[in-house]
């Protein structure tokens, strides 16, 4: 009788090795609807908003994310994660009907909090490197505290409204990360405005709590590449001929073709 797959795998394992890696102790997934976020505009963009009779959101991207991790008192092993999202939004502003739109850029902020388990341990980690070897004292140690990691996609713009500033009771965000301010030509936020923009965004995100650990894993063999590098760049046309024609770029896929059909084991399609 043929031997089982598990027995074959055990024979292929050469040894058990210890690796230092990050382990995910806890994670959560979020589907947030961010209602009535006020968009903050700097000088030139705010003037375009004040002159606009209507605005349309062109796109929205995540420009910066700030993450802060703190221990939860009286609940050992759990940590509070505070996440600050900063979104960049671009709008087409219309000062009159049937006119060419002008683009205004603004920023919105959203704060999210969650509590995750990150286990215990507060070990100082010292490592050797060529820089510290030339110094009288080693570099500052690292700590084995858990690290929070956030994965998110650019939010979906669900609605956009332009209202009078006197009717808007949502304050503007006045402080932004340096990574945002250094890319802005004008960093002055007007103290007075005529109109304000309020948006509703849909955000998908995953928050993970990781910690450095040592794990014992089975080793099968070294990762030796089995394919030779193709360094033949003398003939660009010959390289181009090997590229398949991008049919999907010219002929969009129908809705029915995107649906995956279950495979029939041991049966051929008629």
């Amino acid at each position: 009788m043929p031997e089982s797959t598990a027995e074959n795998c055990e024979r292929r394992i050469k040894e058990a090795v210890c690796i230092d890696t990050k382990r995910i102790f806890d994670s959560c997934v979020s589907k947030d609807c961010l209602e009535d976020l006020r968009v903050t505009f700097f000088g030139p963009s705010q003037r375009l908003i004040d002159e606009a009779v209507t605005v349309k959101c062109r796109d929205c991207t995540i420009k910066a994310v700030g993450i802060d991790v703190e221990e939860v008192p009286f609940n050992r092993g759990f940590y509070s994660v505070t996440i600050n999202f900063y979104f960049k939004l671009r709008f087409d502003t219309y000062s009159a009907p049937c006119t060419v739109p002008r683009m205004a850029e603004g920023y919105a902020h959203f704060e999210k909090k969650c509590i995750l388990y990150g286990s215990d341990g507060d070990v100082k980690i010292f490592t050797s490197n060529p820089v510290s070897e030339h110094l009288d004292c080693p570099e500052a140690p690292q700590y084995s505290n858990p690290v929070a990691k956030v994965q998110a996609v650019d939010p979906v713009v669900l609605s956009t409204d332009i209202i009078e500033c006197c009717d808007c009771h949502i304050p503007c965000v006045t402080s932004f990360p340096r990574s945002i301010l250094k890319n802005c030509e004008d960093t002055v936020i007007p103290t007075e405005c005529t109109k304000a923009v309020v948006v509703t965004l849909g955000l998908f995100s995953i928050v993970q709590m990781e910690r450095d650990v040592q794990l014992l894993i089975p080793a099968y063999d070294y990762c030796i590449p089995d394919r030779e590098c193709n360094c033949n760049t003398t003939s660009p046309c010959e390289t181009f001929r090997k590229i398949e024609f991008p049919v999907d770029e010219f002929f969009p896929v129908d809705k029915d073709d995107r649906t995956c059909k279950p495979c029939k084991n041991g049966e051929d399609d008629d």
Side-chain angles (χ1 to χ4, degrees):
M1 295 178 61
E3 298 180 350
S4 62
T5 306
E7 294 177 354
N8 292 336
C9 291
E10 290 179 358
R11 283 213 302 266
R12 288 199 299 267
I13 298 175
K14 289 190 173 183
E15 60 178 333
V17 297
C18 184
I19 63 171
D20 190 355
T21 185
K22 290 186 179 295
R23 175 186 171 185
I24 301 175
F25 280 84
D26 200 359
S27 62
C28 62
V29 59
S30 297
K31 180 181 178 182
D32 299 307
C33 183
L34 319 181
E35 297 184 81
D36 298 334
L37 292 182
R38 181 169 178 177
V39 183
T40 301
F41 297 95
F42 297 108
S45 295
Q46 183 60 56
R47 288 192 290 269
L48 293 177
I49 297 298
D50 293 338
E51 299 171 356
V53 294
T54 181
V55 297
K56 295 181 180 179
C57 186
R58 181 181 297 184
D59 54 31
C60 178
T61 57
I62 301 175
K63 293 303 294 182
V65 178
I67 306 174
D68 187 23
V69 179
E70 295 182 355
E71 294 186 22
V72 177
F74 309 108
N75 201 353
R76 189 173 180 178
F78 285 84
Y79 296 82
S80 174
V81 183
T82 304
I83 309 168
N84 288 277
F85 291 94
Y86 293 91
F87 309 106
K88 177 182 178 181
L89 300 100
R90 298 192 301 172
F91 299 89
D92 289 330
T93 63
Y94 298 84
S95 57
C98 301
T99 57
V100 178
R102 301 178 65 183
M103 190 183 70
E105 293 184 354
Y107 296 88
H109 167 256
F110 170 67
E111 183 179 279
K112 177 182 179 61
K113 293 184 178 181
C114 60
I115 296 178
L116 296 175
Y117 178 74
S119 189
D120 298 326
D122 189 12
V123 179
K124 296 180 180 180
I125 302 175
F126 297 87
T127 58
S128 62
N129 56 66
V131 177
S132 63
E133 292 176 357
H134 295 286
L135 301 177
D136 294 336
C137 57
E139 295 182 352
Q142 299 179 352
Y143 294 88
S144 62
N145 292 329
V147 176
K149 184 172 71 174
V150 178
Q151 303 179 49
V153 295
D154 290 334
V156 180
V157 181
L158 302 176
S159 68
T160 303
D161 297 318
I162 182 170
I163 58 178
E164 299 294 330
C165 281
C166 57
D167 298 332
C168 184
H169 304 288
I170 307 172
C172 288
V173 180
T174 57
S175 61
F176 290 94
R178 293 183 178 180
S179 59
I180 292 179
L181 295 178
K182 69 179 183 180
N183 294 325
C184 298
E185 297 180 357
D186 188 354
T187 59
V188 178
I189 300 176
T191 56
E192 297 181 358
C193 63
T194 305
K195 297 179 181 179
V197 175
V198 178
V199 296
T200 298
L201 306 177
L203 179 64
F204 298 93
S205 62
I206 297 177
V207 185
Q208 297 174 340
M209 186 67 71
E210 301 178 343
R211 180 187 286 274
D212 290 335
V213 295
Q214 290 76 39
L215 296 178
L216 188 66
I217 64 171
Y220 297 94
D221 207 340
Y222 289 103
C223 300
I224 303 175
D226 56 358
R227 184 174 61 89
E228 294 183 1
C229 297
N230 185 8
C231 302
N232 184 15
T233 57
T234 57
S235 178
C237 292
E238 184 65 25
T239 304
F240 178 74
R241 292 190 189 97
K242 296 180 181 179
I243 300 176
E244 297 182 0
F245 191 86
V247 180
D248 293 339
E249 298 294 333
F250 292 89
F251 303 98
V253 180
D254 294 335
K255 180 180 179 181
D256 296 338
D257 295 338
R258 294 179 181 271
T259 305
C260 295
K261 299 180 180 180
C263 298
K264 298 180 180 179
N265 296 330
E267 295 181 9
D268 297 332
D269 295 338
D270 294 336

